[in-house]
Every structure is written in C-alpha cells, then in structure tokens.
PDB file of all heavy atoms in Angstrom:
ATOM      1  N   TRP A   1       0.833  -1.210   0.000  1.00 92.00           N
ATOM      2  CA  TRP A   1       0.000   0.000   0.000  1.00 92.00           C
ATOM      3  C   TRP A   1       0.869   1.263   0.000  1.00 92.00           C
ATOM      4  O   TRP A   1       0.544   2.250  -0.660  1.00 92.00           O
ATOM      5  CB  TRP A   1      -0.918  -0.013   1.216  1.00 92.00           C
ATOM      6  CG  TRP A   1      -2.192  -0.783   1.008  1.00 92.00           C
ATOM      7  CD1 TRP A   1      -2.525  -2.005   1.496  1.00 92.00           C
ATOM      8  CD2 TRP A   1      -3.306  -0.359   0.223  1.00 92.00           C
ATOM      9  NE1 TRP A   1      -3.766  -2.380   1.070  1.00 92.00           N
ATOM     10  CE2 TRP A   1      -4.274  -1.374   0.286  1.00 92.00           C
ATOM     11  CE3 TRP A   1      -3.583   0.785  -0.539  1.00 92.00           C
ATOM     12  CZ2 TRP A   1      -5.493  -1.286  -0.373  1.00 92.00           C
ATOM     13  CZ3 TRP A   1      -4.806   0.876  -1.179  1.00 92.00           C
ATOM     14  CH2 TRP A   1      -5.738  -0.151  -1.091  1.00 92.00           C
ATOM     15  N   PHE A   2       1.943   1.229   0.768  1.00 93.00           N
ATOM     16  CA  PHE A   2       2.841   2.395   0.784  1.00 93.00           C
ATOM     17  C   PHE A   2       3.709   2.467  -0.480  1.00 93.00           C
ATOM     18  O   PHE A   2       4.198   3.531  -0.838  1.00 93.00           O
ATOM     19  CB  PHE A   2       3.741   2.357   2.023  1.00 93.00           C
ATOM     20  CG  PHE A   2       3.055   2.799   3.276  1.00 93.00           C
ATOM     21  CD1 PHE A   2       2.473   1.873   4.131  1.00 93.00           C
ATOM     22  CD2 PHE A   2       2.966   4.146   3.593  1.00 93.00           C
ATOM     23  CE1 PHE A   2       1.823   2.274   5.293  1.00 93.00           C
ATOM     24  CE2 PHE A   2       2.320   4.558   4.752  1.00 93.00           C
ATOM     25  CZ  PHE A   2       1.747   3.617   5.600  1.00 93.00           C
ATOM     26  N   ALA A   3       3.895   1.329  -1.140  1.00 95.00           N
ATOM     27  CA  ALA A   3       4.686   1.334  -2.370  1.00 95.00           C
ATOM     28  C   ALA A   3       3.969   2.080  -3.494  1.00 95.00           C
ATOM     29  O   ALA A   3       4.623   2.600  -4.411  1.00 95.00           O
ATOM     30  CB  ALA A   3       4.986  -0.095  -2.802  1.00 95.00           C
ATOM     31  N   LEU A   4       2.641   2.141  -3.426  1.00 94.00           N
ATOM     32  CA  LEU A   4       1.894   2.821  -4.487  1.00 94.00           C
ATOM     33  C   LEU A   4       2.187   4.328  -4.544  1.00 94.00           C
ATOM     34  O   LEU A   4       2.539   4.852  -5.603  1.00 94.00           O
ATOM     35  CB  LEU A   4       0.395   2.553  -4.311  1.00 94.00           C
ATOM     36  CG  LEU A   4      -0.054   1.105  -4.519  1.00 94.00           C
ATOM     37  CD1 LEU A   4      -1.540   0.963  -4.233  1.00 94.00           C
ATOM     38  CD2 LEU A   4       0.263   0.672  -5.953  1.00 94.00           C
ATOM     39  N   PRO A   5       2.043   5.090  -3.424  1.00 95.00           N
ATOM     40  CA  PRO A   5       2.402   6.515  -3.511  1.00 95.00           C
ATOM     41  C   PRO A   5       3.896   6.728  -3.770  1.00 95.00           C
ATOM     42  O   PRO A   5       4.274   7.711  -4.407  1.00 95.00           O
ATOM     43  CB  PRO A   5       1.984   7.082  -2.146  1.00 95.00           C
ATOM     44  CG  PRO A   5       1.911   5.913  -1.239  1.00 95.00           C
ATOM     45  CD  PRO A   5       1.503   4.761  -2.093  1.00 95.00           C
ATOM     46  N   LEU A   6       4.733   5.804  -3.282  1.00 95.00           N
ATOM     47  CA  LEU A   6       6.170   5.932  -3.572  1.00 95.00           C
ATOM     48  C   LEU A   6       6.425   5.751  -5.063  1.00 95.00           C
ATOM     49  O   LEU A   6       7.211   6.499  -5.668  1.00 95.00           O
ATOM     50  CB  LEU A   6       6.949   4.890  -2.766  1.00 95.00           C
ATOM     51  CG  LEU A   6       8.468   4.933  -2.927  1.00 95.00           C
ATOM     52  CD1 LEU A   6       9.030   6.266  -2.462  1.00 95.00           C
ATOM     53  CD2 LEU A   6       9.115   3.773  -2.163  1.00 95.00           C
ATOM     54  N   ALA A   7       5.748   4.791  -5.672  1.00 95.00           N
ATOM     55  CA  ALA A   7       5.901   4.589  -7.120  1.00 95.00           C
ATOM     56  C   ALA A   7       5.381   5.793  -7.895  1.00 95.00           C
ATOM     57  O   ALA A   7       5.939   6.172  -8.936  1.00 95.00           O
ATOM     58  CB  ALA A   7       5.152   3.322  -7.538  1.00 95.00           C
ATOM     59  N   LEU A   8       4.314   6.414  -7.388  1.00 94.00           N
ATOM     60  CA  LEU A   8       3.778   7.611  -8.041  1.00 94.00           C
ATOM     61  C   LEU A   8       4.817   8.735  -8.075  1.00 94.00           C
ATOM     62  O   LEU A   8       5.038   9.362  -9.117  1.00 94.00           O
ATOM     63  CB  LEU A   8       2.515   8.066  -7.315  1.00 94.00           C
ATOM     64  CG  LEU A   8       1.924   9.404  -7.765  1.00 94.00           C
ATOM     65  CD1 LEU A   8       1.435   9.305  -9.208  1.00 94.00           C
ATOM     66  CD2 LEU A   8       0.783   9.827  -6.840  1.00 94.00           C
ATOM     67  N   THR A   9       5.449   8.986  -6.938  1.00 95.00           N
ATOM     68  CA  THR A   9       6.431  10.072  -6.892  1.00 95.00           C
ATOM     69  C   THR A   9       7.646   9.754  -7.763  1.00 95.00           C
ATOM     70  O   THR A   9       8.132  10.623  -8.497  1.00 95.00           O
ATOM     71  CB  THR A   9       6.880  10.321  -5.443  1.00 95.00           C
ATOM     72  OG1 THR A   9       7.397   9.105  -4.888  1.00 95.00           O
ATOM     73  CG2 THR A   9       5.725  10.806  -4.596  1.00 95.00           C
ATOM     74  N   LEU A  10       8.131   8.537  -7.708  1.00 94.00           N
ATOM     75  CA  LEU A  10       9.320   8.184  -8.483  1.00 94.00           C
ATOM     76  C   LEU A  10       9.042   8.216  -9.981  1.00 94.00           C
ATOM     77  O   LEU A  10       9.882   8.674 -10.773  1.00 94.00           O
ATOM     78  CB  LEU A  10       9.829   6.802  -8.058  1.00 94.00           C
ATOM     79  CG  LEU A  10      10.335   6.696  -6.614  1.00 94.00           C
ATOM     80  CD1 LEU A  10      10.790   5.267  -6.311  1.00 94.00           C
ATOM     81  CD2 LEU A  10      11.458   7.687  -6.351  1.00 94.00           C
ATOM     82  N   SER A  11       7.874   7.722 -10.389  1.00 93.00           N
ATOM     83  CA  SER A  11       7.544   7.748 -11.820  1.00 93.00           C
ATOM     84  C   SER A  11       7.337   9.179 -12.301  1.00 93.00           C
ATOM     85  O   SER A  11       7.697   9.526 -13.436  1.00 93.00           O
ATOM     86  CB  SER A  11       6.293   6.917 -12.081  1.00 93.00           C
ATOM     87  OG  SER A  11       5.185   7.425 -11.343  1.00 93.00           O
ATOM     88  N   CYS A  12       6.752  10.027 -11.442  1.00 91.00           N
ATOM     89  CA  CYS A  12       6.562  11.432 -11.803  1.00 91.00           C
ATOM     90  C   CYS A  12       7.912  12.118 -12.010  1.00 91.00           C
ATOM     91  O   CYS A  12       8.100  12.888 -12.956  1.00 91.00           O
ATOM     92  CB  CYS A  12       5.763  12.129 -10.718  1.00 91.00           C
ATOM     93  SG  CYS A  12       5.221  13.794 -11.151  1.00 91.00           S
ATOM     94  N   LEU A  13       8.873  11.828 -11.144  1.00 88.00           N
ATOM     95  CA  LEU A  13      10.217  12.391 -11.302  1.00 88.00           C
ATOM     96  C   LEU A  13      10.867  11.900 -12.587  1.00 88.00           C
ATOM     97  O   LEU A  13      11.507  12.669 -13.318  1.00 88.00           O
ATOM     98  CB  LEU A  13      11.086  12.011 -10.102  1.00 88.00           C
ATOM     99  CG  LEU A  13      10.891  12.802  -8.814  1.00 88.00           C
ATOM    100  CD1 LEU A  13      11.743  12.201  -7.709  1.00 88.00           C
ATOM    101  CD2 LEU A  13      11.262  14.265  -9.032  1.00 88.00           C
ATOM    102  N   ALA A  14      10.723  10.611 -12.878  1.00 88.00           N
ATOM    103  CA  ALA A  14      11.339  10.049 -14.084  1.00 88.00           C
ATOM    104  C   ALA A  14      10.761  10.678 -15.345  1.00 88.00           C
ATOM    105  O   ALA A  14      11.494  11.030 -16.275  1.00 88.00           O
ATOM    106  CB  ALA A  14      11.142   8.529 -14.096  1.00 88.00           C
ATOM    107  N   ILE A  15       9.448  10.826 -15.390  1.00 84.00           N
ATOM    108  CA  ILE A  15       8.810  11.431 -16.560  1.00 84.00           C
ATOM    109  C   ILE A  15       9.226  12.885 -16.711  1.00 84.00           C
ATOM    110  O   ILE A  15       9.493  13.371 -17.816  1.00 84.00           O
ATOM    111  CB  ILE A  15       7.279  11.302 -16.456  1.00 84.00           C
ATOM    112  CG1 ILE A  15       6.867   9.828 -16.528  1.00 84.00           C
ATOM    113  CG2 ILE A  15       6.588  12.098 -17.552  1.00 84.00           C
ATOM    114  CD1 ILE A  15       5.408   9.587 -16.253  1.00 84.00           C
ATOM    115  N   ALA A  16       9.305  13.609 -15.588  1.00 79.00           N
ATOM    116  CA  ALA A  16       9.692  15.021 -15.642  1.00 79.00           C
ATOM    117  C   ALA A  16      11.104  15.184 -16.180  1.00 79.00           C
ATOM    118  O   ALA A  16      11.392  16.101 -16.955  1.00 79.00           O
ATOM    119  CB  ALA A  16       9.573  15.652 -14.257  1.00 79.00           C
ATOM    120  N   ARG A  17      12.009  14.301 -15.783  1.00 77.00           N
ATOM    121  CA  ARG A  17      13.391  14.391 -16.272  1.00 77.00           C
ATOM    122  C   ARG A  17      13.470  14.156 -17.773  1.00 77.00           C
ATOM    123  O   ARG A  17      14.325  14.714 -18.457  1.00 77.00           O
ATOM    124  CB  ARG A  17      14.274  13.383 -15.540  1.00 77.00           C
ATOM    125  CG  ARG A  17      14.599  13.777 -14.110  1.00 77.00           C
ATOM    126  CD  ARG A  17      15.584  12.804 -13.480  1.00 77.00           C
ATOM    127  NE  ARG A  17      15.954  13.231 -12.147  1.00 77.00           N
ATOM    128  CZ  ARG A  17      16.899  14.120 -11.876  1.00 77.00           C
ATOM    129  NH1 ARG A  17      17.574  14.676 -12.872  1.00 77.00           N
ATOM    130  NH2 ARG A  17      17.186  14.446 -10.638  1.00 77.00           N
ATOM    131  N   ILE A  18      12.586  13.336 -18.291  1.00 75.00           N
ATOM    132  CA  ILE A  18      12.614  13.025 -19.725  1.00 75.00           C
ATOM    133  C   ILE A  18      11.888  14.076 -20.546  1.00 75.00           C
ATOM    134  O   ILE A  18      12.368  14.521 -21.588  1.00 75.00           O
ATOM    135  CB  ILE A  18      11.998  11.632 -19.971  1.00 75.00           C
ATOM    136  CG1 ILE A  18      12.843  10.548 -19.288  1.00 75.00           C
ATOM    137  CG2 ILE A  18      11.888  11.351 -21.465  1.00 75.00           C
ATOM    138  CD1 ILE A  18      12.201   9.175 -19.319  1.00 75.00           C
ATOM    139  N   GLU A  19      10.723  14.502 -20.072  1.00 66.00           N
ATOM    140  CA  GLU A  19       9.834  15.324 -20.879  1.00 66.00           C
ATOM    141  C   GLU A  19      10.035  16.829 -20.697  1.00 66.00           C
ATOM    142  O   GLU A  19       9.855  17.590 -21.648  1.00 66.00           O
ATOM    143  CB  GLU A  19       8.365  14.988 -20.553  1.00 66.00           C
ATOM    144  CG  GLU A  19       7.982  13.561 -20.904  1.00 66.00           C
ATOM    145  CD  GLU A  19       8.019  13.305 -22.400  1.00 66.00           C
ATOM    146  OE1 GLU A  19       7.880  14.277 -23.174  1.00 66.00           O
ATOM    147  OE2 GLU A  19       8.182  12.139 -22.791  1.00 66.00           O
ATOM    148  N   VAL A  20      10.376  17.261 -19.489  1.00 63.00           N
ATOM    149  CA  VAL A  20      10.438  18.699 -19.227  1.00 63.00           C
ATOM    150  C   VAL A  20      11.742  19.256 -19.757  1.00 63.00           C
ATOM    151  O   VAL A  20      12.820  18.762 -19.425  1.00 63.00           O
ATOM    152  CB  VAL A  20      10.307  18.984 -17.714  1.00 63.00           C
ATOM    153  CG1 VAL A  20      10.462  20.474 -17.438  1.00 63.00           C
ATOM    154  CG2 VAL A  20       8.961  18.492 -17.213  1.00 63.00           C
ATOM    155  N   HIS A  21      11.643  20.294 -20.586  1.00 57.00           N
ATOM    156  CA  HIS A  21      12.820  20.936 -21.159  1.00 57.00           C
ATOM    157  C   HIS A  21      13.575  21.668 -20.058  1.00 57.00           C
ATOM    158  O   HIS A  21      12.995  22.435 -19.302  1.00 57.00           O
ATOM    159  CB  HIS A  21      12.415  21.939 -22.243  1.00 57.00           C
ATOM    160  CG  HIS A  21      13.546  22.331 -23.140  1.00 57.00           C
ATOM    161  ND1 HIS A  21      14.634  23.046 -22.686  1.00 57.00           N
ATOM    162  CD2 HIS A  21      13.759  22.101 -24.456  1.00 57.00           C
ATOM    163  CE1 HIS A  21      15.472  23.250 -23.696  1.00 57.00           C
ATOM    164  NE2 HIS A  21      14.964  22.686 -24.768  1.00 57.00           N
ATOM    165  N   PRO A  22      14.880  21.433 -19.947  1.00 57.00           N
ATOM    166  CA  PRO A  22      15.636  22.111 -18.887  1.00 57.00           C
ATOM    167  C   PRO A  22      15.757  23.604 -19.148  1.00 57.00           C
ATOM    168  O   PRO A  22      16.141  24.030 -20.236  1.00 57.00           O
ATOM    169  CB  PRO A  22      17.014  21.431 -18.954  1.00 57.00           C
ATOM    170  CG  PRO A  22      17.123  20.932 -20.364  1.00 57.00           C
ATOM    171  CD  PRO A  22      15.728  20.562 -20.772  1.00 57.00           C
ATOM    172  N   TYR A  23      15.451  24.413 -18.154  1.00 56.00           N
ATOM    173  CA  TYR A  23      15.610  25.851 -18.232  1.00 56.00           C
ATOM    174  C   TYR A  23      16.945  26.245 -17.620  1.00 56.00           C
ATOM    175  O   TYR A  23      17.365  25.678 -16.607  1.00 56.00           O
ATOM    176  CB  TYR A  23      14.490  26.566 -17.463  1.00 56.00           C
ATOM    177  CG  TYR A  23      13.202  26.713 -18.228  1.00 56.00           C
ATOM    178  CD1 TYR A  23      12.345  25.647 -18.378  1.00 56.00           C
ATOM    179  CD2 TYR A  23      12.856  27.928 -18.800  1.00 56.00           C
ATOM    180  CE1 TYR A  23      11.155  25.781 -19.076  1.00 56.00           C
ATOM    181  CE2 TYR A  23      11.664  28.072 -19.495  1.00 56.00           C
ATOM    182  CZ  TYR A  23      10.823  26.992 -19.625  1.00 56.00           C
ATOM    183  OH  TYR A  23       9.648  27.132 -20.311  1.00 56.00           O
ATOM    184  N   SER A  24      17.592  27.206 -18.236  1.00 64.00           N
ATOM    185  CA  SER A  24      18.738  27.806 -17.580  1.00 64.00           C
ATOM    186  C   SER A  24      18.238  28.874 -16.622  1.00 64.00           C
ATOM    187  O   SER A  24      17.042  29.123 -16.518  1.00 64.00           O
ATOM    188  CB  SER A  24      19.688  28.427 -18.620  1.00 64.00           C
ATOM    189  OG  SER A  24      19.096  29.590 -19.176  1.00 64.00           O
ATOM    190  N   ARG A  25      19.158  29.538 -15.926  1.00 75.00           N
ATOM    191  CA  ARG A  25      18.720  30.550 -14.980  1.00 75.00           C
ATOM    192  C   ARG A  25      18.099  31.734 -15.694  1.00 75.00           C
ATOM    193  O   ARG A  25      17.189  32.377 -15.172  1.00 75.00           O
ATOM    194  CB  ARG A  25      19.916  31.011 -14.139  1.00 75.00           C
ATOM    195  CG  ARG A  25      19.514  32.030 -13.076  1.00 75.00           C
ATOM    196  CD  ARG A  25      20.702  32.477 -12.259  1.00 75.00           C
ATOM    197  NE  ARG A  25      20.294  33.451 -11.264  1.00 75.00           N
ATOM    198  CZ  ARG A  25      21.131  34.101 -10.471  1.00 75.00           C
ATOM    199  NH1 ARG A  25      22.434  33.881 -10.565  1.00 75.00           N
ATOM    200  NH2 ARG A  25      20.687  34.976  -9.586  1.00 75.00           N
ATOM    201  N   TRP A  26      18.565  32.045 -16.910  1.00 86.00           N
ATOM    202  CA  TRP A  26      18.123  33.265 -17.590  1.00 86.00           C
ATOM    203  C   TRP A  26      17.365  32.997 -18.879  1.00 86.00           C
ATOM    204  O   TRP A  26      16.400  33.701 -19.172  1.00 86.00           O
ATOM    205  CB  TRP A  26      19.338  34.153 -17.906  1.00 86.00           C
ATOM    206  CG  TRP A  26      20.163  34.472 -16.708  1.00 86.00           C
ATOM    207  CD1 TRP A  26      21.388  33.960 -16.390  1.00 86.00           C
ATOM    208  CD2 TRP A  26      19.823  35.360 -15.637  1.00 86.00           C
ATOM    209  NE1 TRP A  26      21.827  34.477 -15.204  1.00 86.00           N
ATOM    210  CE2 TRP A  26      20.890  35.340 -14.718  1.00 86.00           C
ATOM    211  CE3 TRP A  26      18.725  36.172 -15.376  1.00 86.00           C
ATOM    212  CZ2 TRP A  26      20.895  36.106 -13.554  1.00 86.00           C
ATOM    213  CZ3 TRP A  26      18.719  36.932 -14.214  1.00 86.00           C
ATOM    214  CH2 TRP A  26      19.793  36.908 -13.319  1.00 86.00           C
ATOM    215  N   ALA A  27      17.776  32.018 -19.674  1.00 86.00           N
ATOM    216  CA  ALA A  27      17.209  31.821 -21.010  1.00 86.00           C
ATOM    217  C   ALA A  27      16.124  30.753 -20.991  1.00 86.00           C
ATOM    218  O   ALA A  27      16.269  29.698 -20.363  1.00 86.00           O
ATOM    219  CB  ALA A  27      18.309  31.433 -22.001  1.00 86.00           C
ATOM    220  N   SER A  28      15.049  31.017 -21.715  1.00 81.00           N
ATOM    221  CA  SER A  28      14.020  30.011 -21.934  1.00 81.00           C
ATOM    222  C   SER A  28      14.534  29.023 -22.986  1.00 81.00           C
ATOM    223  O   SER A  28      15.592  29.229 -23.578  1.00 81.00           O
ATOM    224  CB  SER A  28      12.741  30.693 -22.433  1.00 81.00           C
ATOM    225  OG  SER A  28      12.954  31.195 -23.749  1.00 81.00           O
ATOM    226  N   PRO A  29      13.815  27.930 -23.237  1.00 78.00           N
ATOM    227  CA  PRO A  29      14.261  27.015 -24.296  1.00 78.00           C
ATOM    228  C   PRO A  29      14.450  27.710 -25.644  1.00 78.00           C
ATOM    229  O   PRO A  29      15.403  27.411 -26.366  1.00 78.00           O
ATOM    230  CB  PRO A  29      13.132  25.977 -24.351  1.00 78.00           C
ATOM    231  CG  PRO A  29      12.603  25.961 -22.954  1.00 78.00           C
ATOM    232  CD  PRO A  29      12.685  27.378 -22.470  1.00 78.00           C
ATOM    233  N   ALA A  30      13.562  28.648 -25.990  1.00 81.00           N
ATOM    234  CA  ALA A  30      13.732  29.387 -27.244  1.00 81.00           C
ATOM    235  C   ALA A  30      15.006  30.226 -27.202  1.00 81.00           C
ATOM    236  O   ALA A  30      15.758  30.299 -28.183  1.00 81.00           O
ATOM    237  CB  ALA A  30      12.518  30.278 -27.500  1.00 81.00           C
ATOM    238  N   GLY A  31      15.260  30.870 -26.066  1.00 86.00           N
ATOM    239  CA  GLY A  31      16.484  31.642 -25.924  1.00 86.00           C
ATOM    240  C   GLY A  31      17.721  30.776 -25.992  1.00 86.00           C
ATOM    241  O   GLY A  31      18.742  31.174 -26.565  1.00 86.00           O
ATOM    242  N   GLN A  32      17.653  29.583 -25.425  1.00 86.00           N
ATOM    243  CA  GLN A  32      18.795  28.670 -25.481  1.00 86.00           C
ATOM    244  C   GLN A  32      19.099  28.244 -26.911  1.00 86.00           C
ATOM    245  O   GLN A  32      20.270  28.105 -27.290  1.00 86.00           O
ATOM    246  CB  GLN A  32      18.508  27.449 -24.609  1.00 86.00           C
ATOM    247  CG  GLN A  32      18.478  27.757 -23.117  1.00 86.00           C
ATOM    248  CD  GLN A  32      18.190  26.521 -22.300  1.00 86.00           C
ATOM    249  OE1 GLN A  32      18.858  25.497 -22.419  1.00 86.00           O
ATOM    250  NE2 GLN A  32      17.174  26.594 -21.457  1.00 86.00           N
ATOM    251  N   ARG A  33      18.076  28.047 -27.709  1.00 84.00           N
ATOM    252  CA  ARG A  33      18.316  27.668 -29.108  1.00 84.00           C
ATOM    253  C   ARG A  33      18.993  28.804 -29.872  1.00 84.00           C
ATOM    254  O   ARG A  33      19.905  28.565 -30.684  1.00 84.00           O
ATOM    255  CB  ARG A  33      16.994  27.286 -29.773  1.00 84.00           C
ATOM    256  CG  ARG A  33      16.449  25.934 -29.321  1.00 84.00           C
ATOM    257  CD  ARG A  33      15.304  25.484 -30.202  1.00 84.00           C
ATOM    258  NE  ARG A  33      14.116  26.299 -29.993  1.00 84.00           N
ATOM    259  CZ  ARG A  33      13.176  26.036 -29.087  1.00 84.00           C
ATOM    260  NH1 ARG A  33      13.300  24.990 -28.286  1.00 84.00           N
ATOM    261  NH2 ARG A  33      12.116  26.803 -28.960  1.00 84.00           N
ATOM    262  N   LEU A  34      18.565  30.031 -29.620  1.00 87.00           N
ATOM    263  CA  LEU A  34      19.203  31.162 -30.286  1.00 87.00           C
ATOM    264  C   LEU A  34      20.647  31.329 -29.828  1.00 87.00           C
ATOM    265  O   LEU A  34      21.526  31.668 -30.623  1.00 87.00           O
ATOM    266  CB  LEU A  34      18.415  32.445 -30.015  1.00 87.00           C
ATOM    267  CG  LEU A  34      17.044  32.542 -30.675  1.00 87.00           C
ATOM    268  CD1 LEU A  34      16.368  33.856 -30.311  1.00 87.00           C
ATOM    269  CD2 LEU A  34      17.155  32.423 -32.186  1.00 87.00           C
ATOM    270  N   LEU A  35      20.905  31.095 -28.551  1.00 87.00           N
ATOM    271  CA  LEU A  35      22.270  31.177 -28.054  1.00 87.00           C
ATOM    272  C   LEU A  35      23.160  30.128 -28.706  1.00 87.00           C
ATOM    273  O   LEU A  35      24.316  30.398 -29.053  1.00 87.00           O
ATOM    274  CB  LEU A  35      22.287  30.991 -26.538  1.00 87.00           C
ATOM    275  CG  LEU A  35      21.866  32.186 -25.689  1.00 87.00           C
ATOM    276  CD1 LEU A  35      21.852  31.797 -24.214  1.00 87.00           C
ATOM    277  CD2 LEU A  35      22.809  33.371 -25.904  1.00 87.00           C
ATOM    278  N   ALA A  36      22.629  28.930 -28.872  1.00 85.00           N
ATOM    279  CA  ALA A  36      23.406  27.872 -29.516  1.00 85.00           C
ATOM    280  C   ALA A  36      23.738  28.239 -30.955  1.00 85.00           C
ATOM    281  O   ALA A  36      24.860  28.012 -31.433  1.00 85.00           O
ATOM    282  CB  ALA A  36      22.635  26.553 -29.465  1.00 85.00           C
ATOM    283  N   ALA A  37      22.781  28.831 -31.658  1.00 82.00           N
ATOM    284  CA  ALA A  37      23.037  29.258 -33.028  1.00 82.00           C
ATOM    285  C   ALA A  37      24.083  30.361 -33.079  1.00 82.00           C
ATOM    286  O   ALA A  37      24.963  30.370 -33.945  1.00 82.00           O
ATOM    287  CB  ALA A  37      21.734  29.727 -33.678  1.00 82.00           C
ATOM    288  N   LEU A  38      24.022  31.294 -32.145  1.00 81.00           N
ATOM    289  CA  LEU A  38      25.007  32.375 -32.091  1.00 81.00           C
ATOM    290  C   LEU A  38      26.392  31.831 -31.797  1.00 81.00           C
ATOM    291  O   LEU A  38      27.385  32.262 -32.396  1.00 81.00           O
ATOM    292  CB  LEU A  38      24.603  33.398 -31.028  1.00 81.00           C
ATOM    293  CG  LEU A  38      25.570  34.576 -30.825  1.00 81.00           C
ATOM    294  CD1 LEU A  38      25.647  35.427 -32.082  1.00 81.00           C
ATOM    295  CD2 LEU A  38      25.132  35.427 -29.634  1.00 81.00           C
ATOM    296  N   ALA A  39      26.481  30.868 -30.886  1.00 77.00           N
ATOM    297  CA  ALA A  39      27.780  30.274 -30.557  1.00 77.00           C
ATOM    298  C   ALA A  39      28.372  29.567 -31.764  1.00 77.00           C
ATOM    299  O   ALA A  39      29.590  29.631 -31.999  1.00 77.00           O
ATOM    300  CB  ALA A  39      27.632  29.308 -29.386  1.00 77.00           C
ATOM    301  N   ARG A  40      27.536  28.895 -32.567  1.00 76.00           N
ATOM    302  CA  ARG A  40      28.041  28.232 -33.764  1.00 76.00           C
ATOM    303  C   ARG A  40      28.547  29.243 -34.782  1.00 76.00           C
ATOM    304  O   ARG A  40      29.582  29.044 -35.428  1.00 76.00           O
ATOM    305  CB  ARG A  40      26.944  27.355 -34.382  1.00 76.00           C
ATOM    306  CG  ARG A  40      26.649  26.098 -33.586  1.00 76.00           C
ATOM    307  CD  ARG A  40      25.805  25.140 -34.406  1.00 76.00           C
ATOM    308  NE  ARG A  40      24.499  25.723 -34.737  1.00 76.00           N
ATOM    309  CZ  ARG A  40      23.422  25.583 -33.991  1.00 76.00           C
ATOM    310  NH1 ARG A  40      23.478  24.902 -32.850  1.00 76.00           N
ATOM    311  NH2 ARG A  40      22.270  26.120 -34.359  1.00 76.00           N
ATOM    312  N   ARG A  41      27.811  30.364 -34.940  1.00 71.00           N
ATOM    313  CA  ARG A  41      28.246  31.379 -35.899  1.00 71.00           C
ATOM    314  C   ARG A  41      29.542  32.039 -35.453  1.00 71.00           C
ATOM    315  O   ARG A  41      30.375  32.406 -36.278  1.00 71.00           O
ATOM    316  CB  ARG A  41      27.160  32.447 -36.074  1.00 71.00           C
ATOM    317  CG  ARG A  41      25.928  31.954 -36.808  1.00 71.00           C
ATOM    318  CD  ARG A  41      25.095  33.122 -37.311  1.00 71.00           C
ATOM    319  NE  ARG A  41      24.679  33.989 -36.223  1.00 71.00           N
ATOM    320  CZ  ARG A  41      23.527  33.853 -35.564  1.00 71.00           C
ATOM    321  NH1 ARG A  41      22.716  32.857 -35.867  1.00 71.00           N
ATOM    322  NH2 ARG A  41      23.200  34.692 -34.598  1.00 71.00           N
ATOM    323  N   ALA A  42      29.706  32.183 -34.149  1.00 64.00           N
ATOM    324  CA  ALA A  42      30.933  32.795 -33.639  1.00 64.00           C
ATOM    325  C   ALA A  42      32.120  31.859 -33.747  1.00 64.00           C
ATOM    326  O   ALA A  42      33.257  32.273 -33.554  1.00 64.00           O
ATOM    327  CB  ALA A  42      30.745  33.223 -32.180  1.00 64.00           C
ATOM    328  N   GLY A  43      31.858  30.603 -34.066  1.00 60.00           N
ATOM    329  CA  GLY A  43      32.944  29.662 -34.253  1.00 60.00           C
ATOM    330  C   GLY A  43      33.518  29.116 -32.965  1.00 60.00           C
ATOM    331  O   GLY A  43      34.525  28.415 -32.962  1.00 60.00           O
ATOM    332  N   GLY A  44      32.887  29.486 -31.818  1.00 47.00           N
ATOM    333  CA  GLY A  44      33.364  28.982 -30.541  1.00 47.00           C
ATOM    334  C   GLY A  44      34.747  29.432 -30.170  1.00 47.00           C
ATOM    335  O   GLY A  44      35.431  28.798 -29.380  1.00 47.00           O
ATOM    336  N   THR A  45      35.211  30.555 -30.710  1.00 46.00           N
ATOM    337  CA  THR A  45      36.551  31.034 -30.401  1.00 46.00           C
ATOM    338  C   THR A  45      36.539  32.530 -30.234  1.00 46.00           C
ATOM    339  O   THR A  45      35.704  33.229 -30.794  1.00 46.00           O
ATOM    340  CB  THR A  45      37.535  30.645 -31.520  1.00 46.00           C
ATOM    341  OG1 THR A  45      38.810  31.198 -31.200  1.00 46.00           O
ATOM    342  CG2 THR A  45      37.098  31.209 -32.863  1.00 46.00           C
TER     343      THR A  45
END
C-alpha cells in the first residue's frame, strides 16, 4: 500500500526528467536555441 504513492512520486520524477525541457537561470528554451546558433556562428573562439 505504501509502495503505491512511492511509485507515483518516483515515476513522476522520471517522466519530468525526460519530458520537461531544462531551463537555464536566464534563457528560456527558445532563448537557449538562439544562443546555440550564435555560438556556432561565432565559431566557438
């Protein structure tokens, strides 16, 4: 009976790690994509 709510919390954490897009402190996912494109254009140097 106690394993059921424990399984709920653990499965919720697992799904969140897979599905939820990681946010940085400042940039949203859209901002992160633009930053990645800018870094590629700058040549990383």
Side-chain angles (χ1 to χ4, degrees):
W1 275 105
F2 282 95
L4 293 177
L6 182 61
L8 173 65
T9 56
L10 295 179
S11 60
C12 189
L13 282 175
I15 294 172
R17 286 185 176 276
I18 296 172
E19 296 294 336
V20 176
H21 197 294
Y23 278 77
S24 71
R25 183 180 180 186
W26 305 106
S28 69
Q32 291 180 54
R33 287 191 290 271
L34 291 179
L35 282 176
L38 178 64
R40 287 193 297 269
R41 290 197 302 268
T45 177

